[in-house]
Amino acid sequence: MPQIDLHAEIARIRQLGSDFADLHNDIHSLPLTPGTETRRQLTEKILAVNGLVEQLTERLDTLDGSQYAAIPGSRPSLELLASMVHTAAIASSELATVLLENPLEAAAFPGPPADEAAVRAARHKKAAPKMAEHLTSAAHRLELAHTGCYYLATGITRDVIQHVEHSRATTAPKVTDRQAEVLARLSSGDGTLTDSGRMGVAKAVDHDRAAIHLATLNSLIKRRLVSVDTTTSRFTGQRLTVTSEGRHALARHQQSNQSARTPSALPQAVQQPTARRR
């Protein structure tokens, strides 16, 4: 399964949303006067929408075949992306219908002389309402695609963040209550490790100058849950800092304790005992 840059994909989808918004605004400004100029502008917009449909399809192909497809919650996002491909393609089809309804200025078959101006005016009058109807539908579809892109970008971002947080919570090291206590104290402010100079006896304190049990601290340092700033001498004091792994371990411990303290729901019959009969 290919590993892709999901943040780059999110940025591309947001840009697609901006492009759909620009096209939506352009469609609203298109003249509804039938003729060659309208046909020319419609051709440009159809090509632009088809280009965005192609990009959406590429995003679907890339995301569905990447690591994102294994993240919980990715299926609704990919289904939304597929529906956006469909919506944008319908917008292109609606514009093509406007192009079809737009009377062309080319010459008709040879025949009896006719009032060309009157025929042209009648054709335009008949075509204008149909063109307006399909143009409005195309604009609506483009607006849906624009909104869908931003929903999709937000959804993918949420899925990735939740997946990373869940992975950290489930893979974080386990710590004891005493170790968690030290991590919590050091998380609220750096501690200090010093050497008294008497037979190399070390002493550790937190930011409030409260003593820290050395055996517990050493176990956290060994597991790289707490780091020691060795750029300074222990005689002057070395800073103690909780590492990112230490913070994850503390968060996991706190979540586990909270879950253990939360009582499970009791059956209604236990929660509300029946009153005695007199």
Side-chain angles (χ1 to χ4, degrees):
M1 180 177 292
Q3 299 292 306
I4 64 171
D5 186 345
L6 288 175
H7 295 290
E9 286 300 315
I10 292 170
R12 293 187 184 100
I13 291 169
R14 290 190 185 279
Q15 182 58 52
L16 280 171
S18 178
D19 293 340
F20 275 116
D22 291 341
L23 268 176
H24 170 264
N25 294 332
D26 290 345
I27 294 301
H28 270 300
S29 63
L30 276 179
L32 281 177
T33 304
T36 301
E37 179 59 23
T38 298
R39 191 269 312 152
R40 183 187 66 79
Q41 294 190 44
L42 282 170
T43 300
E44 293 177 356
K45 303 311 174 190
I46 291 171
L47 293 175
V49 175
N50 285 341
L52 296 185
V53 172
E54 180 180 1
Q55 292 184 56
L56 280 178
T57 306
E58 290 173 350
R59 301 280 65 75
L60 177 60
D61 182 62
T62 298
L63 287 169
D64 188 42
S66 73
Q67 76 272 23
Y68 175 66
I71 294 178
S74 60
R75 183 187 299 170
S77 293
L78 294 177
E79 289 175 345
L80 171 60
L81 181 50
S83 72
M84 288 161 54
V85 173
H86 179 254
T87 296
I90 293 179
S92 177
S93 176
E94 291 286 11
L95 290 176
T97 304
V98 179
L99 184 68
L100 175 66
E101 296 293 345
N102 180 45
L104 301 176
E105 305 301 326
F109 286 112
D115 186 346
E116 291 296 336
V119 171
R120 182 172 180 273
R123 293 176 67 216
H124 286 194
K125 183 178 180 180
K126 180 180 179 182
K130 296 180 180 179
M131 292 173 64
E133 177 185 352
H134 291 287
L135 200 64
T136 300
S137 177
H140 174 64
R141 299 285 181 175
L142 292 173
E143 184 177 22
L144 290 177
H146 153 70
T147 304
C149 281
Y150 286 101
Y151 273 117
L152 179 62
T154 301
I156 294 176
T157 302
R158 181 194 61 242
D159 293 340
V160 171
I161 291 175
Q162 290 180 346
H163 178 65
V164 170
E165 290 178 346
H166 176 73
S167 298
R168 286 175 175 173
T170 54
T171 59
K174 291 184 178 181
V175 293
T176 65
D177 290 341
R178 178 173 290 184
Q179 290 172 335
E181 179 191 357
V182 172
L183 288 173
R185 289 164 60 188
L186 292 177
S187 293
S188 59
D190 292 342
T192 306
L193 178 63
T194 58
D195 196 329
S196 66
R198 294 180 302 175
M199 300 179 64
V201 177
K203 178 182 179 181
V205 296
D206 61 18
H207 67 289
D208 290 327
R209 311 305 298 173
I212 296 175
H213 193 270
L214 281 178
T216 303
L217 176 64
N218 288 333
S219 68
L220 293 173
I221 294 173
K222 184 177 181 180
R223 298 174 65 188
R224 298 183 180 180
L225 303 181
V226 172
S227 65
V228 182
D229 182 6
T230 57
T231 60
T232 59
S233 169
R234 187 176 289 187
F235 290 103
T236 59
Q238 296 177 335
R239 186 173 61 182
L240 300 171
T241 307
V242 179
T243 65
S244 60
E245 284 299 311
R247 294 185 183 277
H248 296 155
L250 177 60
R252 178 181 182 179
H253 185 81
Q254 292 171 337
Q255 290 174 359
S256 298
N257 285 352
Q258 184 178 4
S259 299
R261 288 194 299 267
T262 303
S264 58
L266 297 177
Q268 187 174 4
V270 177
Q271 292 176 342
Q272 299 178 358
T274 305
R276 292 182 180 179
R277 294 183 179 179
R278 294 182 180 179

